[in-house]
Amino acid sequence: MAENPNTKMPKWLLYGLIAKGVLVAAITIGVVAYVRLR
């Protein structure tokens, strides 16, 4: 089965989505920790 370039996600986009997910998770954890430790 040949890969279609239009359906294959570029690596930079994949890494961008992963980075965004990590950033959101870090902010969420930081806010929760700040509220609990206040």
Side-chain angles (χ1 to χ4, degrees):
M1 183 176 170
E3 287 184 358
N4 187 347
N6 293 329
T7 57
K8 191 176 182 185
M9 187 178 290
K11 275 209 165 50
W12 62 266
L13 185 60
L14 184 65
Y15 291 143
L17 287 172
I18 292 171
K20 193 189 290 184
V22 170
L23 191 65
V24 169
I27 292 171
T28 303
I29 292 168
V31 169
V32 169
Y34 174 77
V35 169
R36 285 184 180 224
L37 297 173
R38 216 166 25 153

